[in-house]
Amino acid sequence: MSDFGRSLRLWFAPQRVSEEGGTPDYRFSLANERTFLAWLRTALALIGGGFAVDQFFPELARWLRAGMALGLLGAGVFCALRAVNHWVRCERAMRRGEDLPVTRFPTLLSLVVAVVAMVMVVVVLFGWEGGR
């Protein structure tokens, strides 16, 4: 089975992670859990931001409002899914004594948020006269 498939199974049976390797220092496992929770808070903030854009900018053209809202909502969904996957991958790596996994996800997330933020700066500075 692929590494992703194995990680996906562990999302729903995290107790099986303990079957691999040795027990790491608990401080590292707890730090991994705090990181997971931080990613979930980020996901919730992105989802809230997506709803806020959709609800509080009715004067924006529908396509623009929907695009920004869906960008933030999609980033929130991916962030939540990535959080659990990253938690499992890090926990397994620590138990095996391997290097922690590297990810490009923070870069992708930053780019999505930056694009939406730049559009919002333009809207705030110059206003929007478009119809719905």
Side-chain angles (χ1 to χ4, degrees):
M1 178 179 283
S2 72
D3 192 46
F4 177 75
R6 186 172 295 114
S7 290
L8 187 60
R9 280 193 11 234
L10 293 174
W11 288 14
F12 302 99
Q15 69 278 6
R16 294 193 61 198
V17 173
S18 64
E19 296 172 2
E20 297 191 33
T23 302
D25 186 328
Y26 290 110
R27 293 175 292 180
F28 299 124
S29 289
L30 292 172
N32 190 27
E33 186 173 333
R34 285 190 302 274
T35 302
F36 166 75
L37 294 172
W39 279 106
L40 284 183
R41 284 190 301 272
T42 301
L44 288 170
L46 289 165
I47 291 167
F51 280 118
V53 165
D54 187 55
Q55 294 300 308
F56 296 121
F57 290 99
E59 70 279 357
L60 290 180
R62 177 77 180 134
W63 64 268
L64 180 59
R65 190 175 74 233
M68 289 190 304
L70 289 174
L72 291 171
L73 290 168
V77 168
F78 285 123
C79 191
L81 294 174
R82 184 68 181 130
V84 69
N85 188 52
H86 191 70
W87 175 83
V88 166
R89 291 175 60 215
C90 286
E91 198 65 29
R92 288 176 68 205
M94 287 188 297
R95 296 188 70 79
R96 294 175 175 175
E98 300 171 351
D99 289 338
L100 293 178
V102 178
T103 179
R104 291 185 183 105
F105 184 75
T107 302
L108 177 64
L109 180 62
S110 296
L111 291 173
V112 169
V113 171
V115 167
V116 172
M118 286 188 293
V119 172
M120 291 306 301
V121 165
V122 170
V123 168
V124 169
L125 287 178
F126 301 106
W128 182 264
E129 300 297 327
R132 291 181 201 198

